[in-house]
Amino acid sequence: MIDFKKIIADKINKVVELEEGLEKYIETPPNKELGDFAFPCFSLAKALRKSPMIIASEIKEKIDISDNSIEKIDIQGGYLNFFINKELLKKEVLKEIDEQKENYGSSNIGNGKKVIVEYSSPNIAKPFHIGHLRNTLIGLALYNIYKFLGYEVIGINHLGDYGTQFGKMIEGYKRWEKEYDLENNPIDKLTDIYVRINNLCKEDEKVLEICRDNFRKLEEGDKYCVDLWNKLKDITLKEFQRIYDLLGVKFDSVKGESFYSDKIDAAVNILENKGILKESEGAEIIDLEDKGLGVCIIKKSDGSSIYAIRDLATLKYRADTYDFDKCLYVVAYEQAAYFKQIFEIAKYLDIPEKCVEGLKHISYGMTRLSTGKMSTREGTIVKADELLQEAIDKVDKIIEEKNPEMENRKEEATKIGIGAVVFNNLCTTLIKDQVFDWNTILNFNGETGPYIQYIYVRTKSVLEKVNKIPTFKEIDITKLNDKESLNVIEILYGFRDIVISVSEKNETSILTRYLLDLAKAYSNFYNENKIITEDEELTKARLYLSYATGIVLKLGARLLGIEMPNKM
Ligand code: ARG
């Protein structure tokens, strides 16, 4: 596809003969009146030893635009503002969508590179709450987007299945299993068992001792404990699988923290040999105070392993197994300081430098319900499956009122309800907390998933009015000369860069914003222009634009994990 940034960069380069890759300096001006692209001449001032103003006028004078890709160039302050050839833009964009269809905007920038996306990572025998939901949705979107960009992506569900609390779980199960029907709502019952045994442990030191012992046995591979433990894992995963199925989530690898238990000693040895382990009150620690990162405990005074060393052993295993270029940890912001420690210690783990550099914590804020409930430890837990079901039910009710005859109503309500939740989880800058309010997220006219779906369905229904969707070859592009069409096409052109930018910043809200802009631009186009007109050529061109917009809306939504309904 035509790349105007590159064209402009190459032209500038021919004049200044400096370095390749001036593209990185090219910006999009804050408003279209200033130009389509801008080049800040400040960026060359040092190398050329001239003032930005002089550089700008020299480039403008010497630049060759006889190929017609650029219409005109303006100078504003130290900026060169470029106005691209709109007819060429329209032709190239619409042709590309015709050729690429649902691969439009994909690229090969990730070819030969491996990315691990660790996400979801719920805890065994514990509820899957809305925090895990947000986590899962962020991970899924990033997973899809990296794949689309040609990366080899490994999605890992890093289950929390380790720690003393699981010694308690085993004891509670052993004692009271018969009192519970674990066929229905097993997680609730396991939670109940956990609360009971926990209380007992507080009352009776001996019981606590047994629980500790259970965990030790589990670590040592005692058959009874391990079997029981696997059973609880199976029960839990079966429950979580329903949520994953509903969201379309698949993992390439599902491993619990326990999988790495036999790899811990090796990791400790490496760190020991590097001389960075210190003893402190019987525990083994790494002192990162001089880097402003505090102290990281590696082994407790009783010799048992903790979270950090399990993460380090996991990291070592991943680097050895996958030799990754990036490893993204989608984990709540509470663990930001912790991951800074882990990434610092990673430098001593004997793993390739590119792996160390590729470590990234994808931090995200908390979800708060407008009713006050939330997903913190103290707050009331909101369960993901209940929330998703509520979304589907609410949408079903809306459809029942507005369009009771709708075909495949259940299926469409599911896509819309889930789409609303997914979009809402991804559209707030990830690091920020998000408020979850039903009226806002289900508003078909708001900045929501249902709005994107609604506009998509509109593009479809426009096309249903004719018996054949025109192909690119059949249309006369000069017919699309109204400013609303041009606006839609300009946004369509931006798709490729948007997807790349999501991967560079690991920020899904860039794509949700884009889809809202595209949907609004199409809605404008639709409101201002008749699609079916007397002029057959004009009709064809407008139909084609509707078709092209529909493709990109659907594609963008799919990358986020949102399916499009057929009717709304
Ligand atoms: N299971 C943990 C939790 O629910 C999150 C695990 C995060 N991943 C990691 N590699 N530490 O809080």
Side-chain angles (χ1 to χ4, degrees), residues 118 120-123 129 132 135 158-160 257 307 311 314 318 329-331 335 338-339 377:
E118 183 210 286
S120 199
S121 311
N123 301 318
H129 56 65
H132 293 122
N135 183 319
H158 187 65
L159 300 171
E257 288 181 36
Y307 194 49
D311 251 326
T314 306
R318 287 180 187 165
Y329 292 81
V330 185
V331 183
Q335 297 190 32
Y338 167 75
F339 275 107
R377 266 168 230 175

PDB file of all heavy atoms in Angstrom, residues 118 120-123 129 132 135 158-160 257 307 311 314 318 329-331 335 338-339 377, ligand 1:
ATOM      1  N   GLU A 118       1.689 -13.122  28.302  1.00  0.00           N
ATOM      2  CA  GLU A 118       1.184 -13.832  29.484  1.00  0.00           C
ATOM      3  C   GLU A 118      -0.039 -13.078  29.976  1.00  0.00           C
ATOM      4  O   GLU A 118       0.036 -11.894  30.295  1.00  0.00           O
ATOM      5  CB  GLU A 118       2.250 -13.874  30.585  1.00  0.00           C
ATOM      6  CG  GLU A 118       1.773 -14.673  31.787  1.00  0.00           C
ATOM      7  CD  GLU A 118       2.357 -14.195  33.097  1.00  0.00           C
ATOM      8  OE1 GLU A 118       3.533 -14.450  33.365  1.00  0.00           O
ATOM      9  OE2 GLU A 118       1.594 -13.550  33.854  1.00  0.00           O
ATOM     10  N   SER A 120      -4.385 -13.370  31.615  1.00  0.00           N
ATOM     11  CA  SER A 120      -5.463 -14.027  32.350  1.00  0.00           C
ATOM     12  C   SER A 120      -4.988 -14.481  33.728  1.00  0.00           C
ATOM     13  O   SER A 120      -5.311 -13.864  34.724  1.00  0.00           O
ATOM     14  CB  SER A 120      -6.066 -15.200  31.573  1.00  0.00           C
ATOM     15  OG  SER A 120      -7.337 -15.489  32.122  1.00  0.00           O
ATOM     16  N   SER A 121      -4.218 -15.573  33.774  1.00  0.00           N
ATOM     17  CA  SER A 121      -3.540 -16.010  35.000  1.00  0.00           C
ATOM     18  C   SER A 121      -4.382 -15.951  36.279  1.00  0.00           C
ATOM     19  O   SER A 121      -3.963 -15.339  37.268  1.00  0.00           O
ATOM     20  CB  SER A 121      -2.258 -15.191  35.199  1.00  0.00           C
ATOM     21  OG  SER A 121      -1.506 -15.156  34.019  1.00  0.00           O
ATOM     22  N   PRO A 122      -5.556 -16.565  36.268  1.00  0.00           N
ATOM     23  CA  PRO A 122      -6.364 -16.585  37.495  1.00  0.00           C
ATOM     24  C   PRO A 122      -5.790 -17.587  38.489  1.00  0.00           C
ATOM     25  O   PRO A 122      -4.840 -18.306  38.169  1.00  0.00           O
ATOM     26  CB  PRO A 122      -7.738 -17.050  37.005  1.00  0.00           C
ATOM     27  CG  PRO A 122      -7.435 -17.897  35.819  1.00  0.00           C
ATOM     28  CD  PRO A 122      -6.201 -17.303  35.176  1.00  0.00           C
ATOM     29  N   ASN A 123      -6.365 -17.619  39.663  1.00  0.00           N
ATOM     30  CA  ASN A 123      -5.882 -18.518  40.706  1.00  0.00           C
ATOM     31  C   ASN A 123      -6.817 -19.707  40.861  1.00  0.00           C
ATOM     32  O   ASN A 123      -8.039 -19.562  40.789  1.00  0.00           O
ATOM     33  CB  ASN A 123      -5.770 -17.757  42.022  1.00  0.00           C
ATOM     34  CG  ASN A 123      -4.823 -16.578  41.890  1.00  0.00           C
ATOM     35  OD1 ASN A 123      -3.768 -16.692  41.266  1.00  0.00           O
ATOM     36  ND2 ASN A 123      -5.216 -15.443  42.425  1.00  0.00           N
ATOM     37  N   HIS A 129     -12.700 -12.989  38.753  1.00  0.00           N
ATOM     38  CA  HIS A 129     -13.453 -11.746  38.950  1.00  0.00           C
ATOM     39  C   HIS A 129     -13.215 -10.752  37.812  1.00  0.00           C
ATOM     40  O   HIS A 129     -12.494 -11.054  36.859  1.00  0.00           O
ATOM     41  CB  HIS A 129     -13.132 -11.150  40.320  1.00  0.00           C
ATOM     42  CG  HIS A 129     -11.666 -10.905  40.553  1.00  0.00           C
ATOM     43  ND1 HIS A 129     -10.949  -9.999  39.823  1.00  0.00           N
ATOM     44  CD2 HIS A 129     -10.792 -11.466  41.425  1.00  0.00           C
ATOM     45  CE1 HIS A 129      -9.699  -9.992  40.237  1.00  0.00           C
ATOM     46  NE2 HIS A 129      -9.580 -10.882  41.207  1.00  0.00           N
ATOM     47  N   HIS A 132      -9.688 -10.145  36.615  1.00  0.00           N
ATOM     48  CA  HIS A 132      -9.176 -11.164  35.692  1.00  0.00           C
ATOM     49  C   HIS A 132      -9.793 -10.998  34.306  1.00  0.00           C
ATOM     50  O   HIS A 132      -9.163 -11.279  33.293  1.00  0.00           O
ATOM     51  CB  HIS A 132      -9.491 -12.571  36.202  1.00  0.00           C
ATOM     52  CG  HIS A 132      -8.770 -12.929  37.465  1.00  0.00           C
ATOM     53  ND1 HIS A 132      -9.435 -13.298  38.606  1.00  0.00           N
ATOM     54  CD2 HIS A 132      -7.454 -12.969  37.762  1.00  0.00           C
ATOM     55  CE1 HIS A 132      -8.549 -13.555  39.557  1.00  0.00           C
ATOM     56  NE2 HIS A 132      -7.335 -13.353  39.078  1.00  0.00           N
ATOM     57  N   ASN A 135      -7.993  -8.239  32.510  1.00  0.00           N
ATOM     58  CA  ASN A 135      -6.696  -8.797  32.165  1.00  0.00           C
ATOM     59  C   ASN A 135      -6.797  -9.677  30.909  1.00  0.00           C
ATOM     60  O   ASN A 135      -6.030  -9.524  29.954  1.00  0.00           O
ATOM     61  CB  ASN A 135      -6.210  -9.626  33.359  1.00  0.00           C
ATOM     62  CG  ASN A 135      -4.846 -10.205  33.145  1.00  0.00           C
ATOM     63  OD1 ASN A 135      -4.531 -10.679  32.062  1.00  0.00           O
ATOM     64  ND2 ASN A 135      -4.014 -10.172  34.168  1.00  0.00           N
ATOM     65  N   HIS A 158      -0.763 -18.191  32.963  1.00  0.00           N
ATOM     66  CA  HIS A 158       0.136 -18.506  34.075  1.00  0.00           C
ATOM     67  C   HIS A 158      -0.700 -18.635  35.352  1.00  0.00           C
ATOM     68  O   HIS A 158      -0.888 -17.673  36.104  1.00  0.00           O
ATOM     69  CB  HIS A 158       1.146 -17.361  34.195  1.00  0.00           C
ATOM     70  CG  HIS A 158       2.258 -17.585  35.167  1.00  0.00           C
ATOM     71  ND1 HIS A 158       3.208 -18.553  35.007  1.00  0.00           N
ATOM     72  CD2 HIS A 158       2.574 -16.925  36.310  1.00  0.00           C
ATOM     73  CE1 HIS A 158       4.075 -18.490  36.014  1.00  0.00           C
ATOM     74  NE2 HIS A 158       3.702 -17.517  36.821  1.00  0.00           N
ATOM     75  N   LEU A 159      -1.204 -19.834  35.570  1.00  0.00           N
ATOM     76  CA  LEU A 159      -2.161 -20.036  36.659  1.00  0.00           C
ATOM     77  C   LEU A 159      -1.525 -19.901  38.038  1.00  0.00           C
ATOM     78  O   LEU A 159      -0.409 -20.369  38.261  1.00  0.00           O
ATOM     79  CB  LEU A 159      -2.765 -21.441  36.565  1.00  0.00           C
ATOM     80  CG  LEU A 159      -3.522 -21.769  35.289  1.00  0.00           C
ATOM     81  CD1 LEU A 159      -3.849 -23.252  35.273  1.00  0.00           C
ATOM     82  CD2 LEU A 159      -4.788 -20.933  35.195  1.00  0.00           C
ATOM     83  N   GLY A 160      -2.256 -19.282  38.934  1.00  0.00           N
ATOM     84  CA  GLY A 160      -1.798 -19.218  40.322  1.00  0.00           C
ATOM     85  C   GLY A 160      -2.211 -20.504  41.017  1.00  0.00           C
ATOM     86  O   GLY A 160      -3.370 -20.686  41.371  1.00  0.00           O
ATOM     87  N   GLU A 257       2.065 -21.938  38.244  1.00  0.00           N
ATOM     88  CA  GLU A 257       3.342 -21.601  38.876  1.00  0.00           C
ATOM     89  C   GLU A 257       4.047 -22.865  39.353  1.00  0.00           C
ATOM     90  O   GLU A 257       5.268 -22.946  39.373  1.00  0.00           O
ATOM     91  CB  GLU A 257       3.091 -20.681  40.079  1.00  0.00           C
ATOM     92  CG  GLU A 257       2.690 -19.276  39.684  1.00  0.00           C
ATOM     93  CD  GLU A 257       2.466 -18.386  40.903  1.00  0.00           C
ATOM     94  OE1 GLU A 257       3.199 -18.532  41.900  1.00  0.00           O
ATOM     95  OE2 GLU A 257       1.566 -17.530  40.855  1.00  0.00           O
ATOM     96  N   TYR A 307       6.794 -16.147  45.610  1.00  0.00           N
ATOM     97  CA  TYR A 307       6.366 -15.611  44.320  1.00  0.00           C
ATOM     98  C   TYR A 307       7.522 -15.160  43.411  1.00  0.00           C
ATOM     99  O   TYR A 307       7.611 -15.562  42.257  1.00  0.00           O
ATOM    100  CB  TYR A 307       5.433 -14.444  44.643  1.00  0.00           C
ATOM    101  CG  TYR A 307       4.593 -13.907  43.516  1.00  0.00           C
ATOM    102  CD1 TYR A 307       3.851 -14.751  42.704  1.00  0.00           C
ATOM    103  CD2 TYR A 307       4.525 -12.524  43.294  1.00  0.00           C
ATOM    104  CE1 TYR A 307       3.043 -14.227  41.696  1.00  0.00           C
ATOM    105  CE2 TYR A 307       3.724 -12.000  42.286  1.00  0.00           C
ATOM    106  CZ  TYR A 307       2.990 -12.850  41.488  1.00  0.00           C
ATOM    107  OH  TYR A 307       2.214 -12.325  40.493  1.00  0.00           O
ATOM    108  N   ASP A 311       8.685 -16.562  39.743  1.00  0.00           N
ATOM    109  CA  ASP A 311       8.642 -15.752  38.527  1.00  0.00           C
ATOM    110  C   ASP A 311       9.990 -15.757  37.805  1.00  0.00           C
ATOM    111  O   ASP A 311      10.058 -15.790  36.575  1.00  0.00           O
ATOM    112  CB  ASP A 311       8.240 -14.305  38.861  1.00  0.00           C
ATOM    113  CG  ASP A 311       6.826 -14.003  38.358  1.00  0.00           C
ATOM    114  OD1 ASP A 311       6.449 -14.543  37.307  1.00  0.00           O
ATOM    115  OD2 ASP A 311       6.109 -13.228  39.020  1.00  0.00           O
ATOM    116  N   THR A 314      10.448 -19.000  36.122  1.00  0.00           N
ATOM    117  CA  THR A 314       9.563 -19.011  34.952  1.00  0.00           C
ATOM    118  C   THR A 314      10.194 -18.245  33.799  1.00  0.00           C
ATOM    119  O   THR A 314      10.221 -18.705  32.650  1.00  0.00           O
ATOM    120  CB  THR A 314       8.209 -18.350  35.307  1.00  0.00           C
ATOM    121  OG1 THR A 314       7.667 -18.991  36.451  1.00  0.00           O
ATOM    122  CG2 THR A 314       7.236 -18.454  34.155  1.00  0.00           C
ATOM    123  N   ARG A 318      11.254 -19.548  30.141  1.00  0.00           N
ATOM    124  CA  ARG A 318      10.701 -18.987  28.913  1.00  0.00           C
ATOM    125  C   ARG A 318      11.803 -18.533  27.958  1.00  0.00           C
ATOM    126  O   ARG A 318      11.707 -18.729  26.755  1.00  0.00           O
ATOM    127  CB  ARG A 318       9.780 -17.806  29.237  1.00  0.00           C
ATOM    128  CG  ARG A 318       8.484 -18.244  29.845  1.00  0.00           C
ATOM    129  CD  ARG A 318       7.596 -17.048  30.146  1.00  0.00           C
ATOM    130  NE  ARG A 318       6.410 -17.481  30.874  1.00  0.00           N
ATOM    131  CZ  ARG A 318       5.602 -16.660  31.522  1.00  0.00           C
ATOM    132  NH1 ARG A 318       5.838 -15.355  31.524  1.00  0.00           N
ATOM    133  NH2 ARG A 318       4.549 -17.137  32.159  1.00  0.00           N
ATOM    134  N   TYR A 329       3.856  -9.095  30.277  1.00  0.00           N
ATOM    135  CA  TYR A 329       3.146  -9.579  31.456  1.00  0.00           C
ATOM    136  C   TYR A 329       1.932  -8.699  31.663  1.00  0.00           C
ATOM    137  O   TYR A 329       2.081  -7.562  32.096  1.00  0.00           O
ATOM    138  CB  TYR A 329       4.021  -9.468  32.696  1.00  0.00           C
ATOM    139  CG  TYR A 329       5.214 -10.394  32.742  1.00  0.00           C
ATOM    140  CD1 TYR A 329       6.385 -10.082  32.059  1.00  0.00           C
ATOM    141  CD2 TYR A 329       5.176 -11.566  33.492  1.00  0.00           C
ATOM    142  CE1 TYR A 329       7.490 -10.925  32.119  1.00  0.00           C
ATOM    143  CE2 TYR A 329       6.275 -12.409  33.555  1.00  0.00           C
ATOM    144  CZ  TYR A 329       7.426 -12.085  32.866  1.00  0.00           C
ATOM    145  OH  TYR A 329       8.516 -12.909  32.936  1.00  0.00           O
ATOM    146  N   VAL A 330       0.768  -9.223  31.335  1.00  0.00           N
ATOM    147  CA  VAL A 330      -0.436  -8.451  31.621  1.00  0.00           C
ATOM    148  C   VAL A 330      -0.809  -8.731  33.077  1.00  0.00           C
ATOM    149  O   VAL A 330      -1.283  -9.811  33.409  1.00  0.00           O
ATOM    150  CB  VAL A 330      -1.594  -8.856  30.678  1.00  0.00           C
ATOM    151  CG1 VAL A 330      -2.803  -7.956  30.912  1.00  0.00           C
ATOM    152  CG2 VAL A 330      -1.157  -8.808  29.222  1.00  0.00           C
ATOM    153  N   VAL A 331      -0.533  -7.766  33.913  1.00  0.00           N
ATOM    154  CA  VAL A 331      -0.771  -7.929  35.359  1.00  0.00           C
ATOM    155  C   VAL A 331      -1.182  -6.566  35.937  1.00  0.00           C
ATOM    156  O   VAL A 331      -0.668  -5.529  35.510  1.00  0.00           O
ATOM    157  CB  VAL A 331       0.501  -8.433  36.105  1.00  0.00           C
ATOM    158  CG1 VAL A 331       0.200  -8.671  37.582  1.00  0.00           C
ATOM    159  CG2 VAL A 331       1.068  -9.694  35.483  1.00  0.00           C
ATOM    160  N   GLN A 335       1.215  -4.535  40.967  1.00  0.00           N
ATOM    161  CA  GLN A 335       2.484  -5.259  40.939  1.00  0.00           C
ATOM    162  C   GLN A 335       3.570  -4.525  40.142  1.00  0.00           C
ATOM    163  O   GLN A 335       4.580  -5.123  39.767  1.00  0.00           O
ATOM    164  CB  GLN A 335       2.250  -6.675  40.392  1.00  0.00           C
ATOM    165  CG  GLN A 335       1.331  -7.486  41.298  1.00  0.00           C
ATOM    166  CD  GLN A 335       1.264  -8.957  40.943  1.00  0.00           C
ATOM    167  OE1 GLN A 335       2.216  -9.537  40.462  1.00  0.00           O
ATOM    168  NE2 GLN A 335       0.117  -9.551  41.190  1.00  0.00           N
ATOM    169  N   TYR A 338       6.930  -4.494  41.886  1.00  0.00           N
ATOM    170  CA  TYR A 338       7.430  -5.874  41.885  1.00  0.00           C
ATOM    171  C   TYR A 338       8.058  -6.235  40.537  1.00  0.00           C
ATOM    172  O   TYR A 338       9.160  -6.790  40.487  1.00  0.00           O
ATOM    173  CB  TYR A 338       6.267  -6.816  42.219  1.00  0.00           C
ATOM    174  CG  TYR A 338       6.551  -8.270  41.956  1.00  0.00           C
ATOM    175  CD1 TYR A 338       7.370  -9.008  42.806  1.00  0.00           C
ATOM    176  CD2 TYR A 338       6.016  -8.905  40.836  1.00  0.00           C
ATOM    177  CE1 TYR A 338       7.636 -10.340  42.559  1.00  0.00           C
ATOM    178  CE2 TYR A 338       6.272 -10.236  40.578  1.00  0.00           C
ATOM    179  CZ  TYR A 338       7.087 -10.954  41.441  1.00  0.00           C
ATOM    180  OH  TYR A 338       7.351 -12.269  41.184  1.00  0.00           O
ATOM    181  N   PHE A 339       7.384  -5.902  39.452  1.00  0.00           N
ATOM    182  CA  PHE A 339       7.949  -6.268  38.144  1.00  0.00           C
ATOM    183  C   PHE A 339       9.214  -5.481  37.812  1.00  0.00           C
ATOM    184  O   PHE A 339      10.092  -5.975  37.115  1.00  0.00           O
ATOM    185  CB  PHE A 339       6.895  -6.147  37.036  1.00  0.00           C
ATOM    186  CG  PHE A 339       6.058  -7.395  36.940  1.00  0.00           C
ATOM    187  CD1 PHE A 339       4.751  -7.419  37.379  1.00  0.00           C
ATOM    188  CD2 PHE A 339       6.610  -8.575  36.445  1.00  0.00           C
ATOM    189  CE1 PHE A 339       3.996  -8.584  37.336  1.00  0.00           C
ATOM    190  CE2 PHE A 339       5.869  -9.747  36.391  1.00  0.00           C
ATOM    191  CZ  PHE A 339       4.555  -9.750  36.837  1.00  0.00           C
ATOM    192  N   ARG A 377      -9.180  -6.888  46.794  1.00  0.00           N
ATOM    193  CA  ARG A 377      -9.272  -7.916  47.810  1.00  0.00           C
ATOM    194  C   ARG A 377     -10.320  -7.575  48.859  1.00  0.00           C
ATOM    195  O   ARG A 377     -11.076  -8.416  49.302  1.00  0.00           O
ATOM    196  CB  ARG A 377      -7.915  -8.082  48.494  1.00  0.00           C
ATOM    197  CG  ARG A 377      -7.130  -9.182  47.840  1.00  0.00           C
ATOM    198  CD  ARG A 377      -5.708  -9.175  48.306  1.00  0.00           C
ATOM    199  NE  ARG A 377      -4.859  -9.216  47.134  1.00  0.00           N
ATOM    200  CZ  ARG A 377      -3.551  -9.125  47.183  1.00  0.00           C
ATOM    201  NH1 ARG A 377      -2.946  -8.952  48.312  1.00  0.00           N
ATOM    202  NH2 ARG A 377      -2.857  -9.191  46.080  1.00  0.00           N
TER     203      ARG A 377
HETATM  204  N1  ARG B   1      -2.184 -15.186  39.594  1.00  0.00           N
HETATM  205  C1  ARG B   1      -1.830 -13.850  39.972  1.00  0.00           C
HETATM  206  C2  ARG B   1      -3.061 -13.103  40.477  1.00  0.00           C
HETATM  207  O1  ARG B   1      -4.197 -13.441  40.154  1.00  0.00           O
HETATM  208  C3  ARG B   1      -1.213 -13.075  38.825  1.00  0.00           C
HETATM  209  C4  ARG B   1       0.005 -13.692  38.166  1.00  0.00           C
HETATM  210  C5  ARG B   1       0.789 -12.690  37.428  1.00  0.00           C
HETATM  211  N2  ARG B   1       1.886 -13.211  36.654  1.00  0.00           N
HETATM  212  C6  ARG B   1       3.133 -13.367  37.084  1.00  0.00           C
HETATM  213  N3  ARG B   1       4.022 -13.852  36.244  1.00  0.00           N
HETATM  214  N4  ARG B   1       3.498 -13.054  38.278  1.00  0.00           N
HETATM  215  O2  ARG B   1      -2.900 -12.133  41.220  1.00  0.00           O
END
